[in-house]
Amino acid sequence: MASRRLLSFADALELLGIDSPRIAALDRALGGALNLATGGASGTLVGVLSERGRIVGLGRDAVRSAGRRLGRAESRAERTEVLRAAHAAIVVVAWFEALDEADLPFSLNDVELSWQEQRAIVGATAEAGLVRTLLTTSVPYPAPHEDFLKELAVWYDLLALRFIEFVSGLAQWERITETQRQAFRSTLTRALTPDAVAQYQALYAQLALAAPEFAFWVAGNEHRATRAEVRLALDGIGALLTATARGLTAPVDAAAALARSYEAALDHAVLDTATAPEGITVPSLRAMYLDPDFRVASPHGQSGPAEESWWEQIDVRQDLTRYLAGALTSAASAEAPLLVLGQPGAGKSVLTRVLAARLPAAGFLPVRVPLRDVRAEDELQDQIEQAIRTATGERTTWPELVRAARGSTPVLLLDGFDELLQTTGVHHTDFLERVARFQQREAEQGRPVLALVTSRTTVADRARYPDGMVTLRLEPFRPEQIRRWLTIWNDANAPTLRPLAWETVSRHAELASQPLLLTMLALYDATEGGLDRGDGEPLAVTELYEELLSSFARREVGKTTRGGVPDHETGERVERELQRLSLVAFAMVNRRRQWVSASELTDDLTALLGRQAAGTSGFRTPMDPGEVALGRFFFVQRAQSIRDGQTLSTYEFLHATFGEYLVIRLALRLLTDTLTPRPSLSLGESRIDDDLAYALLSYASLATRQMLRFARGLVRPMDATERERLAARLVRVLHEHESRTADQHLAYCPKAIRTASRHGIYGSNLVLMIVVLTGRTTAAELFPERADPVGSWHRRCMLWRSSMDEQHWTDFALALAPRRHWDPDGDRALEISLREGEVLAPDPVDLNWLYRYPEGYGGDGWQRAYWDEVWHKMSLAGSTNDSVVRHALDPVFRNLGPAVTTFVTESGAPATSSAHDLLRLLLEDISMLPDAELAALYDRVVLGVGRLPFRFPRLDRAVDVLLTARDRDRGRLPAAVLGRIDRLVEHNLLGTLLAHDDSEDSSMDHLTRLRWVIERHYPGLSST
């Protein structure tokens, strides 16, 4: 937890109404220990122990008086300070009471120091640290997102260890036996902490009766009890917090106007009624907003909240109302903001609107600041004042507003931090830190402020986090929430619309789990009736996306034409709208992010479509092409901020899959356009026009995200003949692309990458679409004019890999499954298909295929001397994956180097390397191999080891592996195999050893080790 302003134990007692004379008397008895936090004299632990009864008594009195003191609090902030003091008191009192009740081998009343001991221990860190820790409030403080009892137990354990260290240096320690010392240590390290925690919980329960806040602060198992419940519009938070604000008065002036403005928002429709089709009733926020599930935790350092893996370790909770009540009454919340994260359409902005409406005016002053509508370059205080004027029509300063709140704590609801980041780049990465500094300044001025900031999850890693910040992520709807939402929707629209059933919506859970997308599905079903066809069969995913996007585009076209054009022209206009949206999707995908700025989009559309007349709307500034393409679509979210008087905008699809579907949709149309016949006057074969396809499909792989799934869905309804015809056309495009030298769309440059990379990415996308169209293809079909199609495939893969980043290459590689085989003519062949199911181990490599021998070749094996070059080349490229594999194989190359390129054949079976077979003997569970297969494995190893060069310095290692395995498996090996192993050793190896006995060649020193290996497995053989 972040450090907080310290509060002395004496200050805590005084805040809780204990008489000053009693506090002063205790302080004198403790030698000034109560004033440690303010620089007073240094008290001793002996003094503390002798006065522990008075400390406990005053602490108990303080706890009992907490309720009366809270009744006199004049502001929310003062109440929080009193509660903090009460908590500090019970933490200390609980430990003393547990210590008093502990079964110790001596009485604490007998603890005393001799004059020499006092001299030795004055200023000692152990005693001073223990006294300071006990009597100041630098103690754990509960937070509604943490398991506080665990933290408290750790703190009590630390106290116990310090106490043991202190006591072990006293005279009493020498007077007790070793058995008593062990019992003392055991009591303090095992029993004291659980007892102190139990005492603390009992005192905490007493405080919770006087102060409801204490019930909010401990994040125990209470939220699990609400798992089956679905709560509406933070219903209940007002009642919870009103109970904590007794005696506080309602705000006046601008503060009261703000409260009225926010409360009225609850009765507004959850969706702009102008967006809803005619005849549909959209329920209000009060009726429709469902409290989302959430996860909450404190980030450590600057990593975490933007990553899904970080959140997976944190439990999902369903008690948002109770959690927010705890966060808004916690002292820690005045020191750093609460960052609320979620996907587009998850309900972040709506949460701020509902919270602003629900907070009780007596006790809290919500100030909602939509960051998209204030000047981005202004200071935070100026932005707050702009938002106040927008909400109330009144001009007021921040200090005036706080005074008008009459003791209520301001709660800043800063909505849309991600919009600042996306539209202004790096200019606001310190925004969260600036919010925390603002909170610190306000606390120093006696005006503590709470702050909640919303942002999309995907940009959370672009901000710097202040110390003490807590992050909360909104979770998708669970089935119970979707059902409740459908009930509310159906009730609001009965009997006008037929009910939208759970069985229908559940088929599209990917979209229905986000509140705004669920609304979109409901609107589509209400206007088109398309979610349930009536035959019990759900729409295919691609059919649903096509219908959704087309229906909304058709509605927008209808608003401009008002039914004044023929149906065929309406269809053409809808198609143009979808194509523009597809270019928007490409703008995001090709930049490898999920959003695009308005200026970037305008540049793209201008580069691809040319400059068009800007649209106008009354006296407004003419709209740029980006606004024309996106401004009116429900499923596109626009982020904006105002900087230097200019409105900066970015766009993002409510769900990334909309953009991915549109990319594949347009890609298929562009590739299908290559089938368009050339003019009949053209002589010979002319080049296929794929310029626009190349421009759009040469920046990002189509194998990423969900695009491959959409491609398969869009291709499936095509006629088989049409698929084959298009695939053949794309093979020709792939061939012509090899000699491409021109780019007809030079101005289109969404991302700066090498020309060679663009060629590689485009080629890989063509191959991917060919495989999608055909289901499977071969290297010979892809490269029909090449003498070695398999080699061409290998070289293309090298190009593709160098063209992509690691993630894109991984996605592409995992999308395909290769199968190496021989064609009917006996030539090696390679089949490529789409991978199905989980990633499994690839088929074993048959070295006959690799080195172009016939299938099942049983002739002599072969050997290559370049194993060391293979090893070196692996180190030269040095990619992460290659280096990891090389790291694992370094011992193989070092100890079995020539065996890597020594190959052994077996008639009717795959060829293998000697290193491969030796590793199988070492690593595999040989008991699982049939006897015949085990014998064949040994025969291959014998042949391979016999071919290893005698000058290889680690020859002894290969021989030792073989002979050690032979000893292990002797009972299963046929006599013939054992005989071949003996002949290898006795004739080949030993004979060569004897021939080199008189050699003075120092390079043959390794033969001594080989002799030792043979001697170990064949005792006495070398001497004979």
Side-chain angles (χ1 to χ4, degrees):
M1 298 178 65
S3 59
R4 303 186 179 103
R5 182 177 63 82
L6 295 182
L7 190 74
S8 73
F9 188 61
D11 289 339
L13 296 176
E14 188 172 352
L15 274 170
L16 294 170
I18 303 302
D19 296 337
S20 295
R22 295 175 66 192
I23 297 173
L26 176 60
D27 191 38
R28 285 193 299 272
L30 295 177
L34 289 183
N35 286 317
L36 279 174
T38 55
S42 178
T44 67
L45 183 57
V46 172
V48 170
L49 292 177
S50 65
E51 295 297 329
R52 65 189 183 280
R54 200 185 316 192
I55 292 173
V56 170
L58 288 178
R60 282 282 187 178
D61 289 346
V63 173
R64 284 191 291 269
S65 66
R68 295 191 301 274
R69 181 64 185 84
L70 288 172
R72 299 198 303 271
E74 296 181 355
S75 69
R76 173 70 253 176
E78 183 182 349
R79 181 181 176 92
T80 299
E81 194 75 359
V82 170
L83 294 174
R84 187 177 171 203
H87 182 266
I90 67 171
V91 169
V92 173
V93 167
W95 193 79
F96 274 115
E97 291 191 335
L99 185 64
D100 249 349
E101 297 174 6
D103 184 14
L104 302 178
F106 55 81
S107 171
L108 294 176
N109 294 325
D110 295 336
V111 174
E112 59 184 25
L113 291 179
S114 67
W115 182 83
Q116 290 82 4
E117 288 171 329
Q118 291 180 32
R119 286 290 301 272
I121 210 161
V122 167
T125 57
E127 183 187 28
L130 182 53
V131 173
R132 180 180 295 274
T133 303
L134 277 169
L135 301 180
T136 69
T137 56
S138 55
V139 296
Y141 190 75
H145 66 283
E146 295 175 329
D147 187 343
F148 173 69
L149 294 182
K150 285 185 179 179
E151 188 177 358
L152 181 63
V154 170
W155 189 77
Y156 281 153
D157 284 341
L158 177 62
L159 286 183
L161 292 174
R162 287 182 174 176
F163 189 62
I164 293 171
E165 181 183 356
F166 170 74
V167 171
S168 63
L170 300 181
Q172 280 85 351
W173 193 255
E174 301 299 327
R175 300 181 191 135
I176 61 177
T177 66
E178 181 60 30
T179 301
Q180 290 175 312
R181 292 172 188 168
Q182 291 293 340
F184 177 81
R185 293 191 186 98
S186 177
T187 298
L188 263 71
T189 56
R190 298 181 182 178
L192 182 61
T193 291
D195 290 346
V197 170
Q199 295 279 7
Y200 165 84
Q201 288 179 291
L203 292 169
Y204 195 97
Q206 293 179 31
L207 282 179
L209 295 176
E213 291 93 328
F214 280 93
F216 310 152
W217 289 348
V218 176
N221 294 326
E222 294 85 352
H223 65 275
R224 294 188 177 93
T226 65
R227 186 172 298 276
E229 298 181 38
V230 179
R231 298 176 181 270
L232 281 173
L234 299 182
D235 185 31
I237 195 171
L240 290 174
L241 293 177
T242 297
T244 72
R246 295 189 183 96
L248 301 182
T249 55
V252 296
D253 302 332
L258 265 183
R260 290 191 297 271
S261 171
Y262 297 145
E263 188 174 1
L266 276 182
D267 295 317
H268 295 171
V270 72
L271 186 69
D272 184 2
T273 53
T275 306
E278 194 172 330
I280 291 178
T281 300
V282 179
S284 67
L285 269 180
R286 189 188 305 275
M288 193 72 166
Y289 180 79
L290 304 183
D291 294 2
D293 296 346
F294 66 101
R295 304 175 198 248
V296 62
S298 294
H300 300 285
Q302 293 302 122
S303 63
E307 302 296 330
E308 179 64 30
S309 58
W310 189 80
W311 288 104
E312 288 174 353
Q313 306 171 37
I314 299 164
D315 290 340
V316 177
R317 296 176 54 170
Q318 285 91 34
D319 60 333
L320 183 62
T321 295
R322 177 171 290 273
Y323 170 76
L324 289 175
L328 293 170
T329 55
S330 171
S333 298
E335 298 170 7
L338 170 65
L339 179 62
V340 176
L341 302 174
Q343 299 300 330
K348 302 179 297 295
S349 295
V350 180
L351 172 62
T352 64
R353 291 166 57 194
V354 173
L355 183 59
R358 288 295 196 186
L359 288 179
F364 297 92
L365 172 65
V367 182
R368 185 171 180 271
V369 183
L371 294 172
R372 60 173 16 232
D373 296 329
V374 297
R375 293 185 293 273
E377 69 273 16
D378 283 1
E379 294 295 327
L380 180 57
Q381 181 168 323
D382 296 325
Q383 293 174 331
I384 295 169
E385 292 171 358
Q386 292 173 48
I388 295 168
R389 183 186 176 192
T390 300
T392 66
E394 297 185 33
R395 287 186 182 274
T396 188
T397 66
W398 170 250
E400 290 171 347
L401 180 73
V402 175
R403 285 192 289 272
R406 303 173 74 179
S408 294
T409 296
V411 182
L412 296 180
L413 304 172
L414 305 166
D415 183 32
F417 165 52
D418 53 301
E419 303 194 40
L420 287 181
L421 285 177
Q422 288 185 348
T423 55
T424 63
V426 300
H427 296 283
H428 293 281
T429 55
D430 66 339
F431 180 77
L432 296 173
E433 293 176 327
R434 288 193 284 120
V435 173
R437 288 197 297 270
F438 180 81
Q439 290 179 279
Q440 180 181 358
R441 186 200 76 181
E442 290 301 293
E444 292 169 352
Q445 295 299 314
R447 303 186 297 249
V449 175
L450 312 179
L452 181 152
V453 181
T454 70
S455 173
R456 299 179 206 185
T457 306
T458 52
V459 300
D461 58 347
R462 295 171 59 188
R464 299 201 296 269
Y465 307 143
D467 290 340
M469 189 189 78
V470 175
T471 53
L472 180 152
R473 191 182 77 168
L474 303 181
E475 292 294 299
F477 275 175
R478 51 194 154 94
E480 294 86 353
Q481 290 169 307
I482 298 175
R483 289 176 185 271
R484 179 67 181 277
W485 192 98
L486 292 174
T487 298
I488 297 170
W489 174 265
N490 290 333
D491 289 347
N493 286 281
T496 308
L497 302 177
R498 62 177 178 79
L500 179 55
W502 156 253
E503 291 74 17
T504 300
V505 172
S506 62
R507 299 163 181 161
H508 312 291
E510 181 181 43
L511 297 179
S513 61
Q514 294 289 358
L516 197 53
L517 295 174
L518 178 56
T519 305
M520 187 183 73
L521 288 175
L523 291 175
Y524 168 72
D525 185 74
T527 54
E528 306 290 333
L531 285 182
D532 186 358
R533 294 300 191 195
D535 57 3
E537 288 296 321
L539 283 173
V541 172
T542 49
E543 290 177 318
L544 173 64
Y545 277 75
E546 182 69 21
E547 292 292 332
L548 281 173
L549 295 168
S550 297
S551 68
F552 279 93
R554 193 175 300 109
R555 279 180 46 208
E556 296 305 322
V557 168
K559 290 177 183 178
T560 58
T561 61
R562 302 191 183 280
V565 297
D567 289 345
H568 74 275
E569 186 175 336
T570 297
E572 292 173 358
R573 294 191 181 199
V574 167
E575 180 59 28
R576 285 198 295 270
E577 294 287 352
L578 293 180
Q579 289 184 6
R580 287 194 186 96
L581 281 174
S582 299
L583 293 178
V584 174
F586 268 109
M588 299 174 192
V589 168
N590 284 343
R591 287 175 173 83
R592 302 178 191 181
R593 60 177 190 246
Q594 294 186 17
W595 55 273
V596 62
S597 71
S599 59
E600 290 170 334
L601 182 54
T602 295
D603 290 344
D604 285 5
L605 295 179
T606 300
L608 295 170
L609 305 178
R611 295 198 175 274
Q612 302 175 359
T616 59
S617 178
F619 293 100
R620 290 183 65 247
T621 303
M623 293 186 290
D624 62 35
E627 288 182 281
V628 173
L630 282 175
R632 55 182 180 264
F633 281 98
F634 177 85
F635 42 81
V636 175
Q637 187 160 352
R638 178 185 182 186
Q640 72 173 46
S641 65
I642 301 172
R643 185 178 175 196
D644 298 328
Q646 297 274 332
T647 299
L648 307 177
S649 301
T650 64
Y651 299 99
E652 180 175 358
F653 289 100
L654 285 179
H655 200 275
T657 53
F658 285 120
E660 291 160 356
Y661 172 79
L662 287 165
V663 162
I664 290 297
R665 183 182 189 274
L666 182 57
L668 271 174
R669 279 165 168 71
L670 291 175
L671 295 176
T672 302
D673 285 346
T674 62
L675 292 170
T676 303
R678 289 291 185 177
S680 54
L681 190 58
S682 61
L683 301 177
E685 278 199 352
S686 56
R687 180 184 172 277
I688 298 172
D689 182 6
D690 66 333
D691 293 329
L692 186 54
Y694 170 71
L696 290 172
L697 298 176
S698 58
Y699 285 93
S701 173
L702 297 180
T704 60
R705 302 176 189 166
Q706 298 292 321
M707 287 188 281
L708 189 59
R709 181 183 65 154
F710 288 132
R712 299 176 77 168
L714 287 173
V715 162
R716 194 172 294 117
M718 293 175 62
D719 179 75
T721 302
E722 186 70 11
R723 290 202 303 269
E724 292 173 6
R725 181 166 168 255
L726 179 55
R729 191 69 162 180
L730 296 185
V731 169
R732 185 179 160 196
V733 172
L734 180 66
H735 172 70
E736 290 185 357
H737 171 63
E738 292 182 353
S739 58
R740 181 187 297 275
T741 58
D743 184 354
Q744 302 302 317
H745 298 278
L746 281 171
Y748 180 70
C749 186
K751 186 177 180 66
I753 63 174
R754 297 176 299 113
T755 300
S757 295
R758 290 189 62 191
H759 280 261
I761 293 170
Y762 182 56
S764 71
N765 283 333
L766 289 174
V767 169
L768 190 67
M769 296 310 297
I770 291 169
V771 178
V772 168
L773 287 163
T774 59
R776 62 186 67 247
T777 188
T778 66
E781 291 169 345
L782 290 173
F783 312 108
E785 299 181 7
R786 298 295 182 184
D788 179 18
V790 173
S792 295
W793 172 263
H794 170 70
R795 287 187 291 276
R796 287 302 184 103
C797 283
M798 297 288 285
L799 171 63
W800 299 335
R801 181 174 182 177
S802 68
S803 301
M804 304 179 197
D805 60 30
E806 193 63 33
Q807 185 58 58
H808 279 206
W809 167 248
T810 299
D811 290 339
F812 178 80
L814 293 182
L816 302 176
R819 185 176 73 87
R820 294 166 177 84
H821 62 105
W822 283 262
D823 64 20
D825 296 328
D827 296 324
R828 66 174 184 167
L830 178 66
E831 180 184 87
I832 304 101
S833 61
L834 291 176
R835 183 182 62 82
E836 303 286 352
E838 297 181 359
V839 179
L840 302 176
D843 294 335
V845 175
D846 186 340
L847 295 173
N848 284 328
W849 183 92
L850 195 64
Y851 283 89
R852 306 187 191 187
Y853 286 95
E855 183 176 12
Y857 174 68
D860 293 336
W862 65 97
Q863 197 170 27
R864 299 290 184 267
Y866 50 63
W867 66 268
D868 51 346
E869 296 175 9
V870 173
W871 194 9
H872 176 78
K873 285 188 288 186
M874 290 180 70
S875 70
L876 180 63
S879 70
T880 300
N881 290 343
D882 287 348
S883 296
V884 167
V885 173
R886 204 211 93 188
H887 172 72
L889 292 180
D890 275 347
V892 175
F893 279 102
R894 190 174 294 111
N895 293 285
L896 302 174
V900 173
T901 52
T902 297
F903 307 110
V904 181
T905 64
E906 180 183 352
S907 181
T912 58
S913 75
S914 184
H916 173 89
D917 293 333
L918 283 165
L919 288 174
R920 288 190 67 192
L921 284 182
L922 270 174
L923 301 176
E924 286 194 12
D925 183 1
I926 298 300
S927 66
M928 302 300 293
L929 292 181
D931 289 347
E933 186 175 343
L934 180 63
L937 175 59
Y938 270 91
D939 277 340
R940 290 198 304 272
V941 172
V942 170
L943 284 173
V945 171
R947 289 178 180 148
L948 294 179
F950 220 66
R951 288 183 172 274
F952 179 55
R954 301 295 179 90
L955 176 61
D956 59 299
R957 297 303 310 129
V959 174
D960 195 25
V961 169
L962 168 60
L963 296 181
T964 300
R966 185 276 315 266
D967 294 343
R968 178 194 65 200
D969 301 326
R970 184 185 295 272
R972 293 184 59 198
L973 295 177
V977 172
L978 293 172
R980 283 190 283 273
I981 296 174
D982 291 343
R983 284 193 296 276
L984 169 69
V985 174
E986 295 174 11
H987 298 127
N988 295 35
L989 299 177
L990 188 58
T992 306
L993 278 173
L994 294 175
H996 286 82
D997 269 352
D998 299 327
S999 174
E1000 297 182 359
D1001 186 351
S1002 60
S1003 66
M1004 304 299 286
D1005 290 346
H1006 66 285
L1007 297 183
T1008 301
R1009 296 195 304 273
L1010 179 59
R1011 185 186 296 273
W1012 291 342
V1013 168
I1014 294 176
E1015 183 67 27
R1016 188 169 71 252
H1017 293 281
Y1018 291 86
L1021 179 63
S1022 60
S1023 62
T1024 61

